Amino acid sequence: MKLNVNGAEFEVDDAAAASPLLWVLRDVLGLRGTKYGCGIGSCAACTVLIDGRNTKACQTPAERATGKAITTVEGASGPVVDAVREAWYRGNVVQCGYCQPGQTLAAAALLESDRSPDEATITRWMNGNLCRCGTYPRIREAIGNAAEALAEGRTPNRLDTADPAPEVQPLTPEELADPVHPYVRIHPDGTVVAYSNQIEMGQGAHTGLATIVAEELDADMASVRVVNAANGASAKGDVYATPAGGGFIQLSGASTSTQGYWERYRLAAAQARARLVAAAAETWQVPAEEVEVEAGTVSHPSGMRAGFGELATRAEQLEVPHDVRPKDPDRYTLIGREGRLRVDSPGKILGTTQFTIDVALPGLLTAVVLHPPKFGAVPTSVDCSAALAERGVTAVIPIEEGVAVVGDTFDAAQRGLRALRVDWDEANAEQRSVEELLAFHRHQLESGKDAVVAREDGDVESALAKAAHVVDAVYELPYLAHAPMEPNNAVCRMGEDGVLEVWAGTEGPEYTRISASAAAGIDKDQVRVHVPHAGGSFGLHSSAGHDPTSEAVQVARALDWKYPVKLQSPREEELKSGRYRAMAVHRVRAGSDDKGHVTAFHQHIAAQPTSVNLPFVADVLFTDGVDFMTTSGAVDPPYGLPNFKLETTNVETGVPVMVWRSVGNSHTEFARESAIDELALAAGHDPVEFRRGLLADNPRTLRALELAAERSGWGSPLPEERARGVACSSFLSASAQVTEVSLDSRNRVHIERITFVLDCGITVNPDLIRAQVEGGLIYGLSAAAWGEMVLGEGGEIVTQNFDRYPIMRMQSVPRIDVVLIDSEEPPTGVGEVSVPTAAPALTNAIAALTGTRIRRLPVSKTIRVS
């Protein structure tokens, strides 16, 4: 069989004729820019061009492409492609980037067929391409900009990927002890390499770090490269431990990237700059105070000049001068300024960025795992004869949580998995449906027998008894999947030196080391972790066991370490392995006096604890029966609430749960903001005015609320069949949101506009902050409108792919206005900040529009969302 790919002819074994073109491109031809997202044609991450038409490669047998011109992201070229890529780059479209090769090819196909598409055409054409990071508004704008450039005849600049990221080598004891070397290194060619303790998952951490380092070094930002760092443990601790997380473990989460960078990397870069100055002063025999640094060049008024690279070797040998301090903010030329473009986007747009799925090693085998149909079931018998008869299948291996099928390629392993016959023992499995589990949560909450008081101020019961207006409501939230675009995976290889190497897009390299060492039966010091870019995460890659790393290592160990192994989860198996956002039921009783002042607030939560699944932090975050990750947002509300009580009941189920984007705030703030709205209306008060009175002691959130009301036109007349809802938060940063909705002739709700105001302190990269807010809103709205992981009768896992777990697509995306408040306070969190208010602002707007108060999510259970 011959395939014409990117203008070249390839001979492919006829046995692969029926295989999806995606896997022939990736595993046979080694073209890994085309990505796997779902395997059922629902996400279009696998988009290629066939005779110029955007086509889903996962749904196209290779034989159907014979005699046609196949173009992958690696081979795409021409003025239209260049215009699209430049628009993507200039528009800061990319976040995790995993879906972007498919997005750009689809956009190029559109513009080849229609050079001036209107917004409706763009939306219709691109609606099949999913993006879990929520880049839709920027994609739509970028296509418009590319069309405009083509219409005007402008020649776009060809986007060239930067030099490959430097290989991250283990640090020597001397380097570990140095204040600068673990974080910033300057190469002889003048390249500045920043070693990021925060893993890039799409949140823009690398660009934020590059901006900080370039600012403090006075470097040319184009010379800065950022790589994911790991393996920084020493006798004095881990040099890459996250300062914002307590400084005892390297972990990317809770939107702490910029907070963690702010002090450490500003100082390290300032110290590196001081070393360069000292090296120049020594070389030129001049006073250090006369040496100047600008845009990567060191100079002296006498005319002597040198690039960073010329001084780098000597500079690294010098002691750090005493009393080095970072710049004062009034000297910033990069931080807080518009115009910074993402440092990681060129490779992601061009398809050259390496994700875990793209790791290729000599002799690599691919394994997929058949997980049980119910949580906790175990195999009793395995008939592997049909699986082993499949071409390319090399082994079938029972592992801790299922049965692994190993093959030469993913396609072979997946065919083997489909042929596998397994009988399961369900005696200890979770056999309740989601409706039964929800009823169990309600019962646990209503009984109150296991309730633990997390916080208590004043006398709630007495205040409620005296209240003029009382709300008593129960709010219910389902299990939710993380569903990043790159399905869960890991790679491992045992070296001849006894060091086990692991590749994983992990949020916590130390957690990956724990998982790998336990599965391998070796000491943690014998594990080296490599961290490729992650194709999204949203909390999924936070585990320290029972994960793809553990599964990959179990398979490699069973094969006597003879082969490197890539464990690649099919989408169905990822969703069957759980690690969901916990189901939660809240009861809120709140009261106010006859003047509308809140006098009592009692919130009781029933949910499965999450913190207990996280090594190191569990003992800190789960104390005295209270799980901080369950109560976050409820225990620390933005409002001044007299006579306040928070109780929590820890529910036990067989469903594996894990942190989810914005953690507990994703459900606690839905309950709180819904109840506050209900109480305001019961007391006859405007919801914004009601909240304003509660924020007297929280000026930053109050300012956000006032700006959100002003910019959204709160209180101004709206057309019929339109209404607005509001929500406030102090999660990570101070914010407020107003959502405007409409109702169409078919009684469907459409989200028209969102105004989101944020005070996150100093804005290092304002446009990246806006991108994160936009993405967080779309992520949160997707879950609020349709998100639910369903266990059916007997506990069977029903939801297994995007066909049963709807994700917001371009057609549903509203206009989003992000307003950033100027501040000189230290930076605070952004990546998760807009998720918690997405649901309550929406449901509050729906209540204002229809009179229907939605207390159970997703919204689609009550009213259709278009």
Side-chain angles (χ1 to χ4, degrees):
M1 179 176 62
K2 289 185 178 180
L3 295 178
N4 184 308
V5 183
N6 298 330
E9 291 284 342
F10 293 90
E11 285 279 356
V12 178
D13 193 319
D14 287 343
S19 296
L21 176 62
L22 169 64
W23 298 109
V24 173
L25 293 171
R26 286 188 57 85
D27 290 344
V28 178
L29 302 184
L31 297 170
R32 295 184 172 85
T34 307
K35 296 296 188 278
Y36 166 66
C38 66
I40 62 170
S42 187
C43 74
C46 62
T47 297
V48 298
L49 304 182
I50 298 183
D51 286 345
R53 296 176 60 86
N54 50 313
T55 305
K56 297 171 182 176
C58 78
Q59 295 296 288
T60 305
E63 62 186 349
R64 286 194 200 165
T66 58
K68 300 177 181 179
I70 305 164
T71 304
T72 72
V73 66
E74 294 95 335
S77 62
V80 171
V81 169
D82 288 344
V84 167
R85 286 171 171 169
E86 182 176 46
W88 245 248
Y89 178 55
R90 296 292 170 190
N92 273 335
V93 171
V94 173
Q95 289 192 31
C96 90
Y98 189 83
C99 71
Q100 296 305 323
Q103 301 273 9
T104 55
L105 288 183
L110 166 60
L111 292 179
E112 288 285 7
S113 65
D114 183 350
R115 291 295 176 95
S116 57
D118 58 21
E119 188 169 300
T121 300
I122 294 171
T123 297
R124 185 169 57 252
W125 189 283
M126 300 298 297
N127 203 54
N129 289 72
L130 282 183
C131 177
R132 287 296 276 148
C133 296
T135 62
Y136 303 124
R138 289 167 183 257
I139 288 173
R140 192 155 44 200
E141 183 177 359
I143 293 173
N145 290 339
E148 183 179 309
L150 290 166
E152 294 176 357
R154 300 201 304 266
T155 302
N157 295 317
R158 290 201 64 184
L159 186 62
D160 293 319
T161 188
D163 296 332
E167 182 69 22
V168 181
Q169 300 295 334
L171 295 166
T172 67
E174 292 75 21
E175 289 170 333
L176 282 167
D178 190 272
V180 177
H181 290 172
Y183 312 116
V184 179
R185 301 295 292 267
I186 301 172
H187 289 202
D189 64 356
T191 300
V192 178
V193 181
Y195 297 89
S196 175
N197 70 277
Q198 296 291 283
I199 306 308
E200 179 61 71
M201 300 172 284
Q203 76 275 42
H206 281 190
T207 305
L209 179 55
T211 304
I212 290 170
V213 168
E215 180 73 77
E216 291 294 346
L217 263 176
D218 285 316
D220 178 358
M221 190 161 165
S223 71
V224 181
R225 303 283 182 269
V226 185
V227 295
N228 289 328
N231 310 300
S234 70
K236 294 183 178 180
D238 192 334
V239 296
Y240 297 124
T242 304
F248 53 86
I249 186 174
Q250 183 183 3
L251 188 64
S252 301
S255 298
T256 58
S257 292
T258 303
Q259 295 178 66
Y261 290 156
W262 188 244
E263 296 295 340
R264 171 185 287 169
Y265 284 86
R266 281 193 309 143
L267 180 59
Q271 290 171 330
R273 182 188 186 278
R275 275 177 162 168
L276 288 169
V277 168
E282 176 188 270
T283 301
W284 298 335
Q285 295 296 296
V286 298
E289 56 269 21
E290 294 180 2
V291 176
E292 299 177 353
V293 186
E294 183 178 4
T297 300
V298 185
S299 63
H300 185 263
S302 65
M304 292 181 288
R305 299 168 61 85
F308 280 5
E310 298 172 68
L311 300 167
T313 300
R314 179 56 185 154
E316 286 192 351
Q317 298 168 355
L318 298 175
E319 292 291 328
V320 172
H322 295 298
D323 301 324
V324 174
R325 294 288 182 270
K327 289 181 180 178
D328 291 328
D330 58 8
R331 294 177 53 211
Y332 290 158
T333 60
L334 298 175
I335 290 175
R337 305 296 195 272
E338 299 285 0
R340 302 282 74 75
L341 301 180
R342 288 187 65 127
V343 299
D344 56 335
S345 64
K348 291 177 175 178
I349 294 168
L350 294 167
T352 60
T353 294
Q354 187 180 72
F355 298 91
T356 304
I357 194 174
D358 304 319
V359 173
L361 302 169
L364 181 75
L365 297 179
T366 298
V368 299
V369 174
L370 180 67
H371 295 98
K374 301 177 183 181
F375 294 118
V378 294
T380 55
S381 67
V382 178
D383 180 356
C384 58
S385 55
L388 289 170
E390 288 287 337
R391 173 180 49 85
V393 172
T394 59
V396 173
I397 300 169
I399 63 170
E400 191 173 335
E401 291 194 354
V403 182
V405 180
V406 186
D408 296 335
T409 65
F410 177 84
D411 180 48
Q414 180 139 283
R415 281 188 282 104
L417 180 140
R418 290 170 181 155
L420 205 58
R421 296 293 175 262
V422 181
D423 291 326
W424 302 92
D425 178 358
E426 300 176 353
N428 296 315
E430 176 57 77
Q431 299 189 48
R432 290 171 290 185
S433 68
V434 289
E435 293 301 327
E436 292 170 317
L437 286 163
L438 189 61
F440 178 62
H441 280 69
R442 286 195 214 103
H443 172 75
Q444 293 291 92
L445 185 144
E446 291 165 1
S447 73
K449 64 177 182 178
D450 295 319
V452 178
V453 176
R455 178 179 166 186
E456 187 169 17
D457 305 323
D459 188 341
V460 164
E461 296 301 332
S462 176
L464 282 171
K466 298 173 184 176
H469 308 282
V470 174
V471 166
D472 187 344
V474 174
Y475 304 94
E476 301 168 340
L477 300 100
Y479 292 113
L480 293 174
H482 303 78
M485 283 304 297
E486 180 182 19
N488 232 350
N489 48 28
V491 177
C492 71
R493 175 178 63 187
M494 178 63 79
E496 293 181 1
D497 58 359
V499 173
L500 177 63
E501 293 184 278
V502 176
W503 287 259
T506 174
E507 293 184 40
E510 184 63 18
Y511 286 170
T512 298
R513 186 173 290 106
I514 291 170
S515 180
S517 63
I522 60 177
D523 189 81
K524 284 195 304 176
D525 292 341
Q526 293 174 261
V527 178
R528 183 177 303 149
V529 178
H530 305 270
V531 188
H533 284 269
S537 177
F538 315 116
L540 179 63
H541 304 315
S542 303
S543 54
H546 308 292
D547 60 3
T549 296
S550 173
E551 293 178 343
V553 173
Q554 289 177 65
V555 171
R557 187 180 185 182
L559 296 172
D560 296 324
W561 307 115
K562 292 178 180 177
Y563 309 96
V565 170
K566 176 187 295 180
L567 191 292
Q568 178 61 54
S569 298
R571 180 66 63 183
E572 294 84 356
E573 296 305 321
E574 176 188 290
L575 295 188
K576 281 169 61 184
S577 61
R579 286 67 173 169
Y580 306 148
R581 197 280 307 271
M583 175 181 280
V585 175
H586 295 244
R587 182 187 180 192
V588 179
R589 298 184 300 148
S592 69
D593 61 22
D594 55 6
K595 295 181 180 179
H597 300 131
V598 175
T599 56
F601 198 92
H602 179 205
Q603 187 167 356
H604 186 181
I605 309 167
Q608 189 172 339
T610 302
S611 299
V612 295
N613 298 314
L614 299 172
F616 303 112
V617 300
D619 292 341
V620 177
L621 299 180
F622 188 88
T623 57
D624 299 325
V626 176
D627 178 26
F628 174 77
M629 287 187 171
T630 296
T631 60
S632 174
V635 76
D636 50 355
Y639 308 117
L641 299 172
N643 300 303
F644 175 85
K645 186 176 183 179
L646 175 66
E647 292 182 276
T648 181
T649 296
N650 297 314
V651 178
E652 293 184 11
T653 79
V655 180
V657 299
M658 184 49 69
V659 293
W660 190 85
R661 192 173 187 178
S662 79
V663 202
N665 295 70
S666 65
H667 56 86
T668 62
E669 300 205 28
F670 172 70
R672 184 194 68 231
E673 290 300 304
S674 297
I676 289 290
D677 225 62
E678 293 198 54
L679 187 59
L681 297 175
H685 284 255
D686 175 84
V688 167
E689 291 301 320
F690 194 73
R691 286 172 170 82
R692 187 177 275 128
L694 294 171
L695 292 169
D697 296 326
N698 188 344
R700 294 176 74 176
T701 305
L702 175 60
R703 175 62 175 149
L705 173 64
E706 291 172 338
L707 264 178
E710 175 189 328
R711 297 294 182 91
S712 66
W714 184 273
S716 63
L718 281 170
E720 284 191 26
E721 305 301 334
R722 287 209 182 198
R724 301 183 183 101
V726 65
C728 293
S729 179
S730 289
F731 173 55
L732 303 174
S733 299
S735 67
Q737 174 180 341
V738 173
T739 296
E740 183 176 320
V741 300
S742 65
L743 200 65
D744 68 15
S745 59
R746 296 166 64 184
N747 206 39
R748 298 178 303 177
V749 168
H750 184 72
I751 308 163
E752 298 286 348
R753 179 188 176 195
I754 294 175
T755 303
F756 193 93
V757 179
L758 176 65
D759 179 353
C760 60
I762 293 171
T763 55
V764 176
N765 286 302
D767 193 51
L768 268 64
I769 292 171
R770 288 191 288 269
Q772 283 299 291
V773 170
E774 292 162 6
L777 287 169
I778 291 169
Y779 188 89
L781 288 171
S782 185
W786 305 288
E788 181 181 27
M789 291 300 300
V790 176
L791 307 188
E793 185 177 349
E796 182 179 1
I797 304 165
V798 173
T799 309
Q800 296 188 17
N801 213 315
F802 290 136
D803 57 342
R804 298 294 297 267
Y805 193 75
I807 302 297
M808 180 171 277
R809 296 177 183 268
M810 190 175 285
Q811 68 181 12
S812 301
V813 172
R815 169 185 165 187
I816 299 175
D817 299 321
V818 180
V819 180
L820 303 180
I821 295 176
D822 289 335
S823 174
E824 294 184 359
E825 297 293 326
T828 48
V830 170
E832 303 170 83
V833 73
S834 58
V835 176
T837 51
L842 171 61
T843 55
N844 288 343
I846 292 172
L849 178 63
T850 67
T852 299
R853 174 61 61 179
I854 294 173
R855 298 194 182 107
R856 180 178 177 181
L857 295 181
V859 171
S860 58
K861 283 189 170 293
T862 304
I863 190 169
R864 294 175 66 193
V865 182
S866 66

